[in-house]
Amino acid sequence: MNQKEVSANVAGDVSLGGMISVHRIGFGAMRLTGEGVWGPPKDRKNALAVLRRAVDLGVNFIDTADSYGPNVDEELIAEALFPYAKGLVIATKGGWNRPGPNQWTHDASPAHLRKAVEGSLRRLRRDRIDLYQLHIPDPAVSFDASVETLAQLQKEGKILLVGLSNVTQEHIERARKIVPIVSVQNRYSFADREWDYVVDYCEKNAIAFIPWFPLGAGKVAGETLNRIAKANHRTPMQIALAWLLQRSRVMLPIPGTSSIEHLEENVAAASLHLKPAEFEELSEISALVS
Ligand SMILES: NC(=O)c1ccc[n+]([C@@H]2O[C@H](COP(=O)([O-])OP(=O)(O)OC[C@H]3O[C@@H](n4cnc5c(N)ncnc54)[C@H](OP(=O)(O)O)[C@@H]3O)[C@@H](O)[C@H]2O)c1
């Protein structure tokens, strides 16, 4: 692989609320924790090396959450990268409790969010969180109350920018009446298009769209993807990422991996341009699988 091509910089930039810009290939750090997004990584040295390599490759947007580990992911990021490189944006989230491996219970109450932000600040060793995302609306808490809490924490200078995750357009519109929303993080890939209308809404309103599960957890494949990958001398994962980057100028994929080799492969997708016919063919797959 041509080392020159392997830089997140090549993907171009996306603005977060007109205040900061980041390269359009980020890194999702969730996969660095132990089995079931619980506890420490199997290989701590490797997890720290993956984070450092991401930054070497020009990645300047890292996504995490207090619930990954819990706490472990944010601690690993600080251990690997503090003092942080200039311009490195760390986005974290709150709104879940973690009773055990693979277990997630809602809590986006004002008291919980306030405590969560304080915890993230401490673990990330920052005075202010660059981007704080409501991880998911809590069915037992008023959505407006959760967002109002983040707006208040922004006013207090503890959060620079506010984002949402796992939301509908209605949520985004309601939240924007309370505080500027700079990003939306929903599950999305070429084969998983439930949130197409939210991508369009974000593009129209200059809100970054952060697709999670951008690779379908390594399982996206299929005949079409493999054929297009072969024709481009690339891997199926790189094709899936290239499709996302071409889908919208506000798209900010955060592929997650615990492998340096996969990380390099994913970042190298930034230089790939699909032909219009290839893009269209992949775009039609979701209609076939749904
Ligand atoms: N907002 C939310 O509710 C939410 C939910 C889930 C995730 N997220 C965020 O989104 C990020 C990405 O999502 P994700 O980790 O679930 O899914 P993903 O990025 O689609 O997939 C990660 C999986 O794919 C494998 N993989 C990565 N690159 C590969 C490559 N080049 N070739 C082959 N396999 C590869 C990884 O295994 P290896 O480790 O073996 O490479 C891992 O098992 C997370 O890290 C997290 O930050 C957010």
Side-chain angles (χ1 to χ4, degrees):
M1 201 179 288
N2 180 350
Q3 284 304 307
K4 259 192 173 164
E5 283 182 4
V6 186
S7 171
N9 188 20
V10 180
D13 287 357
V14 63
S15 167
L16 297 174
M19 289 183 73
I20 37 181
S21 283
V22 292
H23 304 325
R24 287 208 302 141
I25 286 244
F27 178 71
M30 184 184 83
R31 301 276 171 180
L32 296 178
T33 61
E35 195 70 28
V37 196
W38 186 262
K42 263 196 209 117
D43 181 348
R44 186 175 193 87
K45 230 171 109 187
N46 173 69
L48 297 171
V50 168
L51 285 162
R52 291 183 184 126
R53 184 72 183 128
V55 173
D56 282 351
L57 292 170
V59 168
N60 62 1
F61 182 86
I62 296 181
D63 180 74
T64 182
D66 61 357
S67 51
Y68 300 164
N71 303 341
V72 172
D73 213 46
E74 291 179 332
E75 286 163 1
L76 283 172
I77 289 169
E79 184 178 342
L81 302 174
F82 185 86
Y84 299 112
K86 196 165 177 271
L88 177 65
V89 173
I90 299 169
T92 192
K93 321 179 199 74
W96 285 116
N97 273 321
R98 296 298 312 279
N102 285 322
Q103 292 174 33
W104 307 74
T105 54
H106 289 280
D107 194 348
S109 64
H112 174 89
L113 288 175
R114 191 162 268 283
K115 218 169 126 207
V117 166
E118 294 297 345
S120 292
L121 281 167
R122 200 175 53 249
R123 285 183 294 275
L124 290 170
R125 304 186 213 163
R126 288 222 135 155
D127 300 328
R128 187 175 62 178
I129 288 164
D130 301 319
L131 171 60
Y132 197 85
Q133 305 154 96
L134 177 64
H135 208 144
I136 188 166
D138 181 340
V141 171
S142 139
F143 176 71
D144 287 10
S146 301
V147 176
E148 275 158 15
T149 307
L150 299 187
Q152 185 55 38
L153 287 158
Q154 186 183 50
K155 269 194 204 126
E156 291 169 23
K158 294 184 175 174
I159 294 173
L160 177 64
L161 301 166
V162 178
L164 300 174
S165 181
N166 302 305
V167 287
T168 62
Q169 181 174 327
E170 194 203 341
H171 285 122
I172 308 168
E173 285 171 343
R174 273 171 59 188
R176 291 178 79 204
K177 290 190 180 132
I178 299 168
V179 67
I181 296 299
V182 308
S183 65
V184 169
Q185 183 173 148
N186 280 7
R187 201 188 66 205
Y188 189 76
S189 69
F190 77 94
D192 178 359
R193 305 276 290 287
E194 183 180 356
W195 301 112
D196 254 338
Y197 79 102
V198 170
V199 174
D200 294 337
Y201 175 85
C202 286
E203 185 173 297
K204 219 162 112 196
N205 292 284
I207 295 170
F209 185 90
I210 306 171
W212 64 263
F213 219 27
L215 306 170
K219 289 201 186 93
V220 286
E223 208 183 291
T224 313
L225 193 65
N226 285 326
R227 178 167 35 80
I228 294 174
K230 229 173 166 183
N232 284 276
H233 307 289
R234 299 290 194 128
T235 67
M237 294 303 170
Q238 291 177 317
I239 302 297
L241 286 169
W243 183 89
L244 281 169
L245 290 170
Q246 271 171 250
R247 167 65 178 82
S248 169
R249 60 180 184 273
V250 298
M251 193 72 71
L252 169 54
I254 47 166
T257 179
S258 55
S259 138
I260 290 198
E261 197 189 329
H262 287 166
L263 169 72
E264 290 172 350
E265 183 185 317
N266 297 344
V267 173
S271 62
L272 174 59
H273 291 279
L274 299 173
K275 294 185 194 80
E278 293 170 334
F279 180 84
E280 288 311 323
E281 205 179 346
L282 288 167
S283 301
E284 280 156 21
I285 284 176
S286 70
L288 304 174
V289 295
S290 61

